[in-house]
Amino acid sequence: MTLWIAIGATAVGCYLVKFLGLSAPAGVLERPLVKRLAALLPVALLAALTAQHTFSDGQHLMLDAKAAGVAAAAIARLLRAPFLLIVAVAVAVTAGVRALGG
């Protein structure tokens, strides 16, 4: 039940943020800090969601094939690989670890 309360509160919060954005004066929205936050906040939320999905299983921290795929993608990114190659490396490593594990 707590999960549904959190989902409901998040939905209401998102609606209120959207409403405030639509009702805010144009001068407020043109401030550099507001523009920067608007650009970075969705990225941070998506990264947090991805990390939560990758490294947890409900209530527990978990390192499995998905974590190996993310690590491989990070290494490919550090080596400046193209985006599609990064995705392919992550998929291949994740599949390989799963195949070796069972």
Side-chain angles (χ1 to χ4, degrees):
M1 187 65 178
T2 305
L3 178 64
W4 286 109
I5 292 171
I7 291 171
T10 303
V12 169
C14 288
Y15 178 78
L16 289 175
V17 166
K18 182 74 170 178
F19 179 74
L20 288 174
L22 292 173
S23 63
V28 172
L29 299 177
E30 294 299 321
R31 293 181 183 165
L33 177 64
V34 174
K35 283 185 175 184
R36 185 155 173 83
L37 284 174
L40 294 178
L41 192 59
V43 174
L45 290 173
L46 183 58
L49 179 62
T50 302
Q52 187 272 333
H53 179 73
T54 302
F55 298 114
S56 73
D57 182 22
Q59 301 289 329
H60 303 98
L61 179 64
M62 181 178 68
L63 296 175
D64 62 353
K66 292 182 284 186
V70 170
I75 292 169
R77 175 67 183 112
L78 288 174
L79 295 174
R80 300 191 185 275
F83 178 72
L84 290 178
L85 182 60
I86 293 171
V87 173
V89 166
V91 168
V93 169
T94 302
V97 170
R98 285 185 178 164
L100 292 174

